[in-house]
Amino acid sequence: MRKFLTYAVIGTLVAGALLGARELRQSQQASDEPPVEILDQTVVQRGNLRVTISATGAVSPQRQVPLLFESTGTVTEVLVGVGDTVRAGDVLARLDTAQAEATLNEALLALDVQQRAYALLTSPPRPEDLAVAQAALNSALAALNAAASTGVTAQDEQIAYLQSELARNQLWQAQLQRDIAANPSPLVDVSSLLPDGATNVPQELIDQANAALSGLIPSSSLNTGSLNAGLNQAEYGVAIADSNYNATLSRTGDAAGISSAQAAATAAQIALDRLTNGASDRDLQLAEIGLQQAELAVEAAQASVDRALLIAPFEGVIALNNLVIGELPPTQSAAMLLMDTSGYYVDIAADETDVVDLAVDQPVELDFDALPDQVLTGSVARINLLPTVLGQLVTYPVRVALDPTEQPVRVGMTATATVIVNELRDVLVVPNRFIRLDRVTGRAYLTVQDAANSFREVEVVLGLRNEIDSEIVSGVDEGATIALIPRATFDPIRGF
């Protein structure tokens, strides 16, 4: 055992001596080599790293609208000028509206009439209205009764009948006289007509009867023409009497008066029923149609007046005014230009290789040529889906909205927008110029300085990169010195 320990100690001393000799030789060799040329060097340290995309554009207002009249006519009034601030709904200018306003007033009057008529149909009746309607109905019924009571009485009918019979008797007598005159018969003795055995009849009576019979027979001196004339007159008399009698029977009153009274009574009853029961569905429908038509007429008339007015659609500043009182508005340009300067934006063009890294609401820093000492902020508001193609160049319009600011930003100013795509804080960062990338393997290396003239190449893992710096995920520690030296003087296997 003691012999083994002796050998171990001797071996250790020998190995130490050999190692010391080697280090001495290396030190002598290093002191003999010329110093390495260092192009640049830095220390690995922690910091912030941002990935950005930059582009340039011009400032535009949040909204900008050219204003035009919707009708033609002479400009009668201009109420604002360039630079004036207006509110939404303000009248900026006016054309001649005399005729349009007259039409509007007529439409308003017609609408008032229709509204009153509709209100009368739909509102409950007042007691006084019901009393008036009832009185009107009573009056109409009284008039109807009066017209119907003017007919023929029974006495009038009896008189007309007797007159007709009297005319017939007169005709019969005229016919009898004509027949006797035309065929005279011999005188008859009444005694010959007595029955046999009637001997006790006084002769005086017989003589009186014979005398009466003789009076019935006209004398031969009567004129036959006068008898015919009397007969014709009697016939006319019968015809007239019969006509009067028939007219009396058919006359039941004044037909025109009764019809008029009946119509008045019906109308009065309908008016009373409407007040009592309300308007019918048909009347209400007609009234509603009339009201709607009147309202549409007012809207059309008002629209005609409004078309002669230039009205501000939103709050903003008048940037341009081309109107002159007494002249027609321009036809080839806007009457006025209205800008909403409550906010601004800048439109930039992003390359197709960069747009994939952009997203809405990403923060943006803006540098203005007119404000060299100021950096304004904003955010990505919109990224167009369709590109703009110019030859082989493909870009996408991107809108950057400026945050509210007190700086004197004006429309048309040039601004450079820097979109912050990604940002890391408190990470190991080195400049990209110190990183060597192997194009074959894709690996990354740093040249680390260990001593004054001693360097070695270390493989590192990279993270986020931008145009200037890169994040070091692993491979070196904070505080390590890295150098940039000519590649021809460096042997990655042997070192320096």
Side-chain angles (χ1 to χ4, degrees), residues 393-454:
L393 180 62
V394 179
T395 60
Y396 288 81
V398 177
R399 175 159 296 183
V400 175
L402 274 69
D403 294 334
T405 178
E406 297 296 331
Q407 297 298 321
V409 177
R410 290 184 176 273
V411 175
M413 285 185 174
T414 301
T416 300
T418 301
V419 183
I420 302 173
V421 177
N422 201 348
E423 184 174 15
L424 298 177
R425 296 184 179 276
D426 194 27
V427 295
L428 294 180
V429 178
V430 297
N432 290 336
R433 65 181 183 275
F434 289 91
I435 301 173
R436 184 180 73 83
L437 293 176
D438 189 328
R439 297 184 181 278
V440 177
T441 63
R443 296 179 178 180
Y445 299 90
L446 290 177
T447 300
V448 179
Q449 183 176 3
D450 293 327
N453 206 35
S454 175

Side-chain angles (χ1 to χ4, degrees), residues 158-191:
Q158 186 64 30
I159 292 173
Y161 174 74
L162 293 176
Q163 289 177 345
S164 176
E165 290 299 318
L166 180 59
R168 293 183 185 280
N169 288 332
Q170 291 178 350
L171 175 61
W172 178 77
Q173 291 180 4
Q175 291 175 342
L176 182 59
Q177 289 179 359
R178 183 200 58 185
D179 293 340
I180 293 174
N183 300 300
S185 57
L187 189 61
V188 178
D189 186 359
V190 175
S191 59

Side-chain angles (χ1 to χ4, degrees), residues 328-370:
L328 295 175
T331 57
Q332 302 299 324
S333 60
M336 290 185 179
L337 182 64
L338 180 63
M339 288 185 179
D340 181 2
T341 57
S342 62
Y344 298 95
Y345 65 86
V346 176
D347 283 339
I348 60 175
D351 189 83
E352 61 178 328
T353 58
D354 295 330
V355 73
V356 294
D357 296 323
L358 296 180
V360 175
D361 294 331
Q362 285 176 333
V364 181
E365 293 180 351
L366 298 110
D367 296 316
F368 286 80
D369 295 340

Side-chain angles (χ1 to χ4, degrees), residues 124-344:
R126 300 178 301 173
E128 52 269 30
D129 294 335
L130 290 173
V132 170
Q134 186 62 56
L137 177 59
N138 295 338
S139 176
L141 291 175
L144 177 59
N145 293 333
S149 64
T150 58
V152 180
T153 63
Q155 184 179 4
D156 293 335
E157 294 182 4
Q158 186 64 30
I159 292 173
Y161 174 74
L162 293 176
Q163 289 177 345
S164 176
E165 290 299 318
L166 180 59
R168 293 183 185 280
N169 288 332
Q170 291 178 350
L171 175 61
W172 178 77
Q173 291 180 4
Q175 291 175 342
L176 182 59
Q177 289 179 359
R178 183 200 58 185
D179 293 340
I180 293 174
N183 300 300
S185 57
L187 189 61
V188 178
D189 186 359
V190 175
S191 59
S192 63
L193 299 175
L194 295 175
D196 296 340
T199 59
N200 58 348
V201 177
Q203 185 62 41
E204 181 179 0
L205 292 176
I206 294 174
D207 294 340
Q208 290 177 359
N210 289 332
L213 288 173
S214 63
L216 293 174
I217 298 173
S219 62
S220 59
S221 62
L222 288 176
N223 189 346
T224 304
S226 61
L227 292 176
N228 290 331
L231 180 60
N232 291 335
Q233 185 176 359
E235 289 177 350
Y236 285 132
V238 171
I240 293 173
D242 288 343
S243 178
N244 290 335
Y245 178 63
N246 292 331
T248 301
L249 293 178
S250 62
R251 190 177 69 228
T252 58
D254 185 1
I258 293 175
S259 177
S260 178
Q262 182 65 47
T266 302
Q269 183 65 55
I270 292 174
L272 179 60
D273 291 342
R274 284 182 176 177
L275 286 175
T276 304
N277 303 325
S280 64
D281 293 341
R282 182 176 180 276
D283 291 338
L284 287 175
Q285 185 178 8
L286 292 176
E288 289 174 355
I289 292 174
L291 184 60
Q292 292 174 0
Q293 290 176 343
E295 291 173 347
L296 291 175
V298 170
E299 291 178 3
Q302 184 64 58
S304 179
V305 173
D306 294 342
R307 284 195 294 269
L309 302 178
L310 197 63
I311 300 176
F314 53 83
E315 183 176 354
V317 178
I318 301 299
L320 182 66
N321 176 24
N322 291 324
L323 297 178
V324 178
I325 295 178
E327 297 183 3
L328 295 175
T331 57
Q332 302 299 324
S333 60
M336 290 185 179
L337 182 64
L338 180 63
M339 288 185 179
D340 181 2
T341 57
S342 62
Y344 298 95

